[in-house]
Amino acid sequence: MSPDPEPVGSPAPGDRDIREITAIMSLSLRIGELLLSSGAGASDVSAAMRNVAWACGLRGFTADVMFTQLTMSQQSSPEEPALVQFRQVRYREVDYGDLTDVDHLIRALLAGTIDRVEATHLLNRISSTGHPRPRWSVTVALGVMGGGVGMVLGGNWLVVAVAAAAAMLVDALQRQMGRRRLPTFYQQVAGGLLATLIAVGVAATPADVSPSLVVSTSIVMLLAGVNFLGAVQDALTGFPVTAGARILEAFLATAGIAAGVSGGLKAADLLGVDLGPLHPGAYSTTHLPVMVLGGAIAAAAYSFSAYAPSRSLVPIAAVAAVAVAVYVGALNRDFGVAWSSALAALLLGLISYPVAARWRIPTLVVVAAGITPFLPGLSIYRGLSLLATDASAALLAMVTAAAIAIALSSGAILGEYVAQPIRREARRLESKLAGPRLVGPHTVRGVRGLRRRRATKRVADPAPDRGRGSEPPPSP
């Protein structure tokens, strides 16, 4: 008896396989696109794409990450042609809320609680849903961040208020320019110019406000979008092409800030307005509580402006406060600005890993927000202001700014490298040192590990099942 014919219009088995492979690759690429656009490193994006494809049952594939393009290919056998898919990453907007949701999606997919179809539906919902906060609240949050940075730099309450207003005006200007699709370089030029002109206007009044601190805080607000973390991480993990592209992007954005500030300083000279000497702030233990509070406010406000989950704001503020305290302590002991920044970033990376795991957010969210108070806005302004009078001092200030940026990024990444094995060994030590439990197991993780070891032993040495009340023989 001949088998029943295939229904008319139904795909052949090979076509069904190709469609499933294509769907898996498309899901992996879309997840990689969202992670890369949110500032994740190329190694993290590549690992996430491979994990998603593997969890969905795809084998014989490769995943490649470039700065503006993601590629996946799959070849079932050497005799068959390879399937290749590309995805362009052109529009970049940091949204830590979407980043957190995608991180949870990946974990659920790897755990087997959802399948590929459910993951695709969840990803469609994440990518099609707008921001959870109104845009005006983001502008206000950036103003609060500017005020917090002003507190870190040692400004008085008037400096904090002017810095907050300047940050909100700069954000409003850049938002209008972004709607007209102007490149980021010109937005940075306009932001730096507006911040300097606001400082010039303040200097023309009898108000007791340091124009240099106003410009410095506004520059930090602009630098917050320049993600050096991803560039340094890509360079350290073997993605030189992507690292070079990110460094070039960061360099152009920083050059735009420098051009805008330089134009504002030239306008001050033409108008005859003296911006006064540069007062970098008094870094001493007497101002430590104010600086710690300012760092916490700045970090929490930046994470709020980047749409981070509300539950993460308080932990991020606490981590940033501890980092600022370490930074001030190291600076008071003559470690230098670069080494103090590196030590603070190292501690930030160490603390961020367990904090992120505890509050169910990606570590990138904690680290990127925590380094905001340390960004080298003051050094950049000092270098630009001294360019016309003392070229050597200006060059030294710009080199210091570059050293601070590299120290922050490399220190935070080193902290992540150290934190992961420390946490793993701490769990093992806790299991060994824990006292005898009269009821219940030590930890859920320990029970899972025991089950895995028993299952492995049964596969290696099958034996008849013991009775319900019997116990396995003790290990030697």
Side-chain angles (χ1 to χ4, degrees):
M1 184 175 181
S2 60
D4 295 334
E6 290 284 342
V8 178
S10 63
D15 295 336
R16 287 197 295 267
D17 294 340
I18 293 176
R19 290 183 179 182
E20 181 65 20
I21 293 173
T22 303
I24 294 173
M25 294 170 63
S26 177
L27 175 64
S28 302
L29 288 170
R30 291 178 59 195
I31 288 177
E33 178 189 13
L34 195 147
L35 295 178
L36 189 64
S37 62
S38 297
S43 59
D44 295 338
V45 176
S46 178
M49 293 170 59
R50 292 196 303 268
N51 290 334
V52 168
W54 186 270
C56 293
L58 189 64
R59 301 295 183 267
F61 63 90
T62 60
D64 189 21
V65 178
M66 301 291 287
F67 185 60
T68 57
Q69 180 175 285
L70 304 175
T71 308
M72 282 198 73
S73 62
Q74 193 274 342
Q75 189 174 17
S76 301
S77 65
E79 293 79 14
E80 297 181 4
L83 299 176
V84 182
Q85 283 194 24
F86 301 93
R87 194 165 188 91
Q88 297 291 330
V89 184
R90 296 182 179 179
Y91 184 65
R92 300 177 183 272
E93 182 180 7
V94 177
D95 190 329
Y96 290 149
D98 289 349
L99 183 68
T100 303
D101 293 338
V102 171
D103 181 71
H104 293 170
L105 185 152
I106 296 173
R107 295 177 185 273
L109 186 62
L110 296 180
T113 57
I114 61 174
D115 57 6
R116 195 267 307 166
V117 177
E118 293 174 330
T120 302
H121 291 331
L122 289 175
L123 184 61
N124 292 337
R125 186 182 308 170
I126 293 171
S127 59
S128 61
T129 304
H131 298 304
R133 295 165 187 149
R135 190 58 181 82
W136 63 265
S137 66
V138 173
T139 302
V140 174
L142 291 175
V144 174
M145 187 193 78
V149 174
M151 296 170 64
V152 175
L153 296 179
N156 55 21
W157 66 270
L158 192 55
V159 170
V160 171
V162 174
M168 288 189 288
L169 290 175
V170 170
D171 177 69
L173 175 62
Q174 288 192 321
R175 183 177 58 186
Q176 294 297 327
M177 297 179 67
R179 290 176 178 176
R180 290 166 174 78
R181 300 297 182 183
L182 290 175
T184 305
F185 176 80
Y186 300 109
Q187 296 181 30
Q188 297 289 91
V189 172
L193 179 61
L194 177 60
T196 311
L197 292 179
I198 292 175
V200 171
V202 170
T205 65
D208 183 19
V209 178
S210 173
S212 61
L213 292 185
V214 175
V215 179
S216 300
T217 52
S218 302
I219 288 177
V220 170
M221 192 274 290
L222 296 173
L223 287 173
V226 181
N227 195 349
F228 293 95
L229 281 174
V232 175
Q233 183 182 3
D234 293 346
L236 295 176
T237 54
F239 290 85
V241 177
T242 307
R246 288 193 173 188
I247 291 175
L248 178 61
E249 183 185 50
F251 173 77
L252 286 177
T254 307
I257 299 173
V261 174
S262 178
L265 294 176
K266 181 59 66 176
D269 291 338
L270 295 177
L271 295 175
V273 177
D274 185 15
L275 296 183
L278 179 66
H279 298 291
Y283 295 102
S284 62
T285 55
T286 58
H287 296 80
L288 180 61
V290 177
M291 297 176 66
V292 169
L293 178 61
I297 292 174
Y302 173 73
S303 60
F304 182 91
S305 68
Y307 307 103
S310 300
R311 65 178 182 274
S312 65
L313 300 183
V314 174
I316 288 173
V319 171
V322 175
V324 170
V326 172
Y327 172 78
V328 175
L331 201 61
N332 286 335
R333 288 165 176 78
D334 298 329
F335 274 77
V337 179
W339 275 106
S340 300
S341 301
L343 291 175
L346 177 62
L347 179 66
L348 183 66
L350 284 171
I351 301 177
S352 297
Y353 187 77
V355 169
R358 171 64 180 83
W359 296 96
R360 298 180 294 111
I361 55 177
T363 310
L364 176 64
V365 178
V366 184
V367 174
I371 67 172
T372 299
F374 308 103
L375 293 174
L378 194 63
S379 297
I380 293 176
Y381 175 77
R382 178 178 175 83
L384 294 174
S385 61
L386 295 176
L387 192 60
T389 58
D390 192 347
S392 60
L395 179 61
L396 179 61
M398 299 303 290
V399 171
T400 302
I404 293 173
I406 296 175
L408 289 173
S409 304
S410 57
I413 294 171
L414 179 60
E416 289 296 320
Y417 274 112
V418 176
Q420 296 182 21
I422 285 179
R423 190 182 182 201
R424 183 170 59 250
E425 294 300 327
R427 286 174 177 170
R428 295 177 180 175
L429 185 62
E430 177 187 4
S431 178
K432 293 179 180 179
L433 297 181
R437 296 288 192 269
L438 299 182
V439 178
H442 288 272
T443 59
V444 176
R445 187 177 298 272
V447 173
R448 292 175 180 172
L450 179 61
R451 289 176 180 175
R452 286 195 297 269
R453 290 193 295 271
R454 288 180 177 177
T456 305
K457 185 176 181 180
R458 291 194 192 101
V459 173
D461 185 16
D465 293 336
R466 299 181 177 90
R468 179 182 294 270
S470 63
E471 293 292 336
S475 58

